[in-house]
Amino acid sequence: MMSGRRTELSVSYTDDPRVVAEQRVEDYAQHAVPLTARVPRFKLLMANWSLLSAMVWLFYGALVSTLYGTRQAVIGLVLSVVVYSILNWFLTAWAIRTGLNPTLLSRRMFGTYGATLTALLIAASTTYYAVFESSVLAEAFHIHFGALDIRWWYLIVIVAVLPLMVGSIQTWMDRINGYLLPIYIVGIIAAVVVAAVQNDGGSDWASFAGVVPPQARPLPGWLMTFCVYMGIWLLMATSLEFSRMGRPQDLRFHQHVTFGWVYYGWMFLLNGLAGIYLVRTVLPSDPTAEVGVVQAIVQTLGLWGVLLTVVTQTRVNTLNYYLSSINWGRLAARLFGLRLPRAVWVVAVAAVAYLLMLTDVFSSLQKVLAWQGVFLVSWIGIVFTHFVLTPADRRNGPEFRPGRLRAVTPGLGVWVVASAVGIALTQSPQQFPRLSPLAPVVALAVSVLLYAVVLKLAPSSLLRREGDLSDEVDDPWAARLACHVCDRSYTAVEMDRDPAADGAPICAACGEVDTAFIQAVRTESASGAAIPAAES
C-alpha cells in the first residue's frame, strides 16, 4: 500500500532523447506511441503497403478460382474488400486516436495476461507467412536455376534477406518498399501481358467454372470464397499495428487509402485477378499446383520472373519479420520479463523460419489458415463489439495500464469458447457439411453474442484504484513523466502511480513486470469491491 507520502510529479514537455533513440528501432512496442513519434502519411503508406506484393494474394486468387470458378471467386473477392474496408475504417481511427498496438488495445477485453494470446497469435501467424513467402522465393530460384538442393536455396534466401529485415516504420521500411513498389507493378503487368502474347490471348480464365462441381459445394462458391478470406483477418490486426503510428490529421487518408478500400481493392481484387489469369493461362492442365503462381511467373518471364519474385518477397518479408519479431518480443517481455533488442528477435525468427521451411509448408497452408482464421475472427469480433458497446473507450481509448486491469477476464473465456466452436466445425466437415465451411462466420457470431452478454453482466476488468495520474497533468499526451524503474520519460497517458514507491510514476512496460508494483496494486485494489459492469 502507498504510504502517506506522495511523490511530487516532475513534468516535462519534450521527448526524452534516450527514448527517441531507443524507440527508432523498437517502434514503441511496449508503449503508447506519442504524437511526436507519429510518421508522415506517405512513410506509413509505403511501410504498410509492403504487404501488397505478397505472392500469397495471387495464390489465394488462383486457389479460390480453381475451386469455385472465376465468377464466383470474383464476387467473393469484392465482398471481402467491402467488409475489410468497413471494419478497418473504425479500427484504424481507434488505433490512431490511442496510439496502441493490438496487444495493448485488447488488454481491456482479455486482461494483462490474457492479451498475451494476441501477441502470440500475431507472432505465430506472421512467422508462418515469413516461412511461406521465403519458400516461394526459394522455389523460384530452384525452378529457374536448379543445381542445388532446395534446402540450400532455403538457407540462401534466409541469410541473404536477413540484413534487410531489421528496419522499423520510423527508419527505412518505407524507403525500401517505396523503391521496390514500381518494380512490382511493372513486373506483374509484364507477366500478364507476356502470358497473353505467348498464348495468343487464348485463355478460359474468365469463364472457368472450377474443379468442384456446383452440386458438390455445400454453399455457394462466392460465400466459400469469402470464408476463405476470413481466414486472413490477421490483416486487421496488422492494420492496427501500423495505424497506431499515424498522425491524427492524416486519418481520412489512411481510412481510404493506406488501410481502406484502395489498399484491399489492390491487394485482394487486382492481385487475385492477376493470379487467376496467370495460372489459368500458363498452367491450365495443372491449375491446383501449390507453387503454380511462381511457376507461371518464372515460365513467363524467365530470369526477370525470378528477379520479380525477389522484389515481391523482399517487400512483404520486411512486414512479416517486423510483426513477428516485435510480437515475440512483447510475449517474452510479458511472460518472462525478458527484454531484448528487436534485431535479436529478427535473427531468432529467421532461424525458426528456416527450420519450418524444411517441412512441407505449402501442403499445410489450408489447415493453418483455417485454425488461425478462427482465432483471429473471434478476436476481431470481441474487439469490435467492445468498440461498439463501450462509448467511453471508443472516445478515449481503452484502459491498458497493467496496474489498472485484472490479469485475466471473462472476455478471454469468450475468445477461447468461440475459437473452439469454430475449430470443431472446421475439423468436422462430414458431421456438419454446411456449417463446417462457415466455421469463421459461426465463430464470429458466437464471439459477438457471448462478449456482449459478458460486457453487460460480468464484473468489469478494471481494478478499483485511488485517483489517476493522467488526471493530474494538463495534457496527458503532451506531458512526459519519468518512470522511477527504467528512468525513462514517457507520455503521461501510459503512466501510473506505484503504490510500492510512494506513488512514484511507473511506465506501462515496467509496470507489467515489476513484481513489487504488481503486488502493491493487488493489495490496494483488494480493499475495494469489484467494479460492476454498469460502471465500466
Side-chain angles (χ1 to χ4, degrees), residues 199-283:
N199 291 273
D200 298 323
S203 173
D204 69 341
W205 76 280
S207 59
F208 182 64
V211 297
V212 180
Q215 62 272 18
R217 301 171 190 170
L219 299 168
W222 64 267
L223 183 54
M224 297 187 75
T225 295
F226 178 76
C227 288
V228 168
Y229 276 76
M230 284 186 76
I232 45 179
W233 276 22
L234 168 69
L235 295 174
M236 295 186 200
T238 299
S239 293
L240 284 172
E241 187 73 71
F242 277 77
S243 56
R244 70 192 175 99
M245 304 296 296
R247 301 182 303 185
Q249 62 266 35
D250 297 328
L251 174 59
R252 288 292 178 265
F253 176 84
H254 291 315
Q255 285 178 313
H256 285 289
V257 181
T258 310
F259 308 102
W261 62 271
V262 176
Y263 174 58
Y264 286 111
W266 184 343
M267 184 159 60
F268 289 163
L269 190 57
L270 296 183
N271 280 336
L273 290 173
I276 294 168
Y277 182 82
L278 287 170
V279 171
R280 287 303 312 160
T281 303
V282 180
L283 300 170

